[in-house]
Amino acid sequence: MSGAAVTLLGIRHHGPGSARAVAAALEHLQPDAVLIEGPPEADALVGLAAEPGMVPPVALLAHAVDDPAQAAFWPFAAFSPEWVAIRHATDRGVPVRFIDLPAAYGLAQGQGAEVPGGTSAPEGPTAGSGSGPDPIGQLAAAAGHTDSEAWWEDVVEHRAPSTDPGADALAPFVAVAEAMTALREQGTTGPRDELREAYMRQAVRAARRAGHARIAVVCGAWHVPALSAGTTVAHDRALLAGLPKKVRTEITWVPWTHRRLSQHTGYGAGIDSPGWYHHLFTNGAAGAGGSRGLAHWMTRVAELLRAEDHPVSSAHVIEAVRLAETLAAMRGRPLAGLAETLDAVRSVMCDGSDVALALVRDRLVVGDALGEVPESAPTVPLQRDLTRLQRSLRLKPEPEPRELVLDLRKENDAARSLLLHRLRLLGVDWGSPARSTVNSTGTFRESWRLRWQPEFAVRIAVAAQWGTTVESAATGRAVEQAARATALPQLTELVEHCLLAGLPAALPAVMRALADRAALDTDVVQLAEALPALVRALRYGDVRGTDSAALEGVAHGLADRICVGLPPACVGLDAERAGVLRGHLDSVHTAIGLLETDGPAAAGEGEDGPAAAGEDGPTEGTAPSDSLGGRWAATLRSLARRQPPAAAGTGIPGLLRGRATRLLLDGGRIDSAEAGQRLGLVLSHANHPADTAGWVEGFLAGSGVLLLHDPALLGLLDRWLSGVPAEVFTDVLPLLRRTFSALEAGVRRTVGERVAAGPLDGTAPGPRPGSAAVEPDVERADAALPVLALLLGLGGAPAPAGSTATTTRARIPRQTDRRSAG
């Protein structure tokens, strides 16, 4: 444990109990050098920990210079023992050195995601080498406990340093070292742990050679037996000789969050309750503060629940504290832990609701605390430019998600929009587009959902290869993406992003790539997928004052090619591909509507006569207008009038023919009479029921209100459905259910009521199938009229038995038969 002038302090990473013990031990030892498990590249940055602008949680970020995506983090919270040791040394001017294996070796081996020392347990086989038992679990089992976390809390995290001046501040570390020595004798150590421990021993030797008299070493408890072992220098040098060649690395401090500490994968530290640990450390352990510390936590819970409109009073707080302490006593625990605290909160403050308790877990047990680093911390130029923009635009990075609505007519909001779009191009999804809570069809409003993530620091370091400012980096990234794009939709989406992000310098290169790809691309599906993004770019570009004249020519060219190539591309499609193309058909129709500047009259409204509805040919009636809308209408007519497929793989599916007919009807190109005529032709017995059902699905997709406004169409559909043969009805039923289930609930209900009311052709309803017509018994009906008149308040006494009720019947208005009215 203790040799010559070296004292080994074995700790649990991110443990508040270990942090308090380290603080007491350092105060007792007063070392003249502090060695800490961590990357030696950070020695030059450790002094920044004492600056006022450094607020944990923070992390050391190391990345390869030539490949910034290869990166590693070393997170520190206020309750981390290493952070306590750093602050003790920097506050007193004592030299601090990191002694773990340099990050350059780990990055050279592609171990960027590994975080040495970033686990919630003392480093051992599970944390250091990825194999073997859990040390805490073994110790808890030896003590007769099945819950290792609860046992560790009882013996370490809830333990407060003794206030007795004669108490041994090093006693906890002696006990932990003995336990780890026993565990290591029974287990195995991985090769990476052996390399790390050999490097640590070499660093300790170097500190002793430097003349330090009192050296304190803060490291994972698992390493203590190895660091105190009497290995030779030659042995350690032989181990380290097999290390790979170093890679050039850069390292800096970055902000971190409690939520990121709670994650067990990626760059997380695997702490289940960082907010709770922060409370234990900053407000004193339950053992130090007793009920006072627990009452402080319950008060925070009450404040949170009140803010969320839960009725919580001071009496609830008092009762919750009592219940937590009682539960701890019943469970044989010395003090109330997190389990007892949450059980008390659920019972007293949340009325047994797990929903309210989940809020407490998320906001307090985990928390969203975001650290800060001083401006003097080294950063890449791109990060400095981003920080400048965040301040000038008053966009503070926050870990809590929040909604942001921008009005692009305002200068500051427009600048915010540009920043968020540029960062998205760089892969920094600080903001993601959200659905606005304000119903507006204007293009001047944008809604975003903002949430800052610590790993954005890595993405910013990666993006620094494309430029030193956010604008230049986004421009470089866009140009590179344009050069690597392999599909037309990728380029049109990139053009949209460039316009939204205000990157005029990137547009020439992107437009050249777009023009080249559009000229060579013959896939109508890709053209149809690409056009909507281009049209959106034209629409939004005007709002931002962007010159998008070049886009208009490309968009019109794509639209013309779609008009020519769409009918042949629809031939022989199966149901799945027809469904995909139907979505593109709707998107292209909307896009062309935005591009088209001429009115419906210029496009030849009403030029398609009913007599040509079933003909097959490129034109029908008068030649279409030369406008884009007219050419698109002619394409839709060509689709709508095609004959149904005679066999599999031939003809145009009914889904697309029906959709084209509906688009023509909605656009005023045909009237309801002609639509009814085409529906009648499709519903004829000559067509296959499956193709007919597909036509109906395409025709009714989006809205079925037209069935309510045109009873003739509903009647045609009703008669066809009633006449479907039983042997094929089962096959078309799924299509029909899918069609009608997509309609609005009110439309479905009204359609059902009208069909149930009787015939839809205006004639009187006949007898129900299987029943005989029965004449009504007038005398029996008249017998009830006096009572009915009394109930309706029409006056008069019931007629005597045997009398007629002619007078009473005359006083009650007769209602028209509901089925006849249908």
Side-chain angles (χ1 to χ4, degrees), residues 314-340:
S314 56
H316 288 88
V317 174
I318 296 172
E319 184 59 31
V321 172
R322 289 176 178 172
L323 179 57
E325 292 175 340
T326 302
L327 288 173
M330 293 177 62
R331 295 171 182 176
R333 302 191 65 179
L335 298 165
L338 180 60
E340 289 72 31

Side-chain angles (χ1 to χ4, degrees), residues 331-559:
R331 295 171 182 176
R333 302 191 65 179
L335 298 165
L338 180 60
E340 289 72 31
T341 302
L342 292 181
D343 286 344
V345 168
R346 178 195 287 110
S347 299
V348 178
M349 297 186 182
C350 301
D351 295 326
S353 170
D354 286 332
V355 176
L357 185 66
L359 180 68
V360 176
R361 288 183 181 274
D362 183 70
R363 301 280 186 86
L364 295 182
V365 177
V366 176
D368 281 309
L370 176 65
E372 299 178 7
V373 298
E375 295 182 4
S376 55
T379 58
V380 295
L382 178 60
Q383 176 65 66
R384 290 195 293 270
D385 183 62
L386 175 58
T387 302
R388 177 187 62 83
L389 290 172
Q390 288 171 336
R391 291 178 178 174
S392 63
L393 298 176
R394 298 187 296 279
L395 270 180
K396 183 180 180 180
E398 297 173 337
E400 300 89 355
R402 67 185 182 98
E403 302 295 329
L404 178 67
V405 179
L406 302 178
D407 186 343
L408 301 181
R409 297 169 296 185
K410 300 178 180 179
E411 182 178 355
N412 191 66
D413 281 3
R416 287 177 170 183
S417 173
L418 293 179
L419 174 62
L420 294 174
H421 281 293
R422 289 169 181 175
L423 289 176
R424 292 194 73 207
L425 264 175
L426 296 174
V428 182
D429 296 324
W430 178 19
S432 56
R435 189 177 185 88
S436 175
T437 56
V438 178
N439 292 327
S440 174
T441 58
T443 59
F444 63 84
R445 187 185 301 276
E446 279 187 351
S447 295
W448 294 84
R449 183 175 178 82
L450 303 184
R451 186 170 191 175
W452 185 262
Q453 302 286 351
E455 60 266 26
F456 289 161
V458 175
R459 300 182 189 179
I460 292 171
V462 172
Q465 62 183 300
W466 294 299
T468 57
T469 65
V470 174
E471 182 178 0
S472 63
T475 298
R477 175 63 169 157
V479 172
E480 180 181 286
Q481 286 182 334
R484 295 183 177 182
T486 58
L488 186 61
Q490 294 176 348
L491 288 169
T492 56
E493 185 178 357
L494 182 58
V495 169
E496 181 182 13
H497 288 165
C498 288
L499 287 175
L500 294 174
L503 302 175
L507 276 177
V510 178
M511 289 301 301
R512 284 194 300 269
L514 174 62
D516 294 343
R517 174 65 62 178
L520 299 175
D521 205 328
T522 58
D523 189 343
V524 174
V525 175
Q526 286 206 1
L527 296 177
E529 187 178 352
L531 181 62
L534 271 183
V535 175
R536 288 196 303 269
L538 283 169
R539 189 184 186 203
Y540 288 112
D542 293 339
V543 178
R544 291 164 176 79
T546 307
D547 183 11
S548 53
L551 284 179
E552 191 170 357
V554 176
H556 278 272
L558 289 181

Side-chain angles (χ1 to χ4, degrees), residues 759 761-766 819-820:
D761 54 3
T763 61
R819 298 183 64 184
S820 299

Side-chain angles (χ1 to χ4, degrees), residues 33 205 341 423 527 564 659 731 754:
R205 295 185 183 111
T341 302
L423 289 176
L527 296 177
V564 174
R659 193 60 193 158
D731 296 332
R754 292 191 177 180

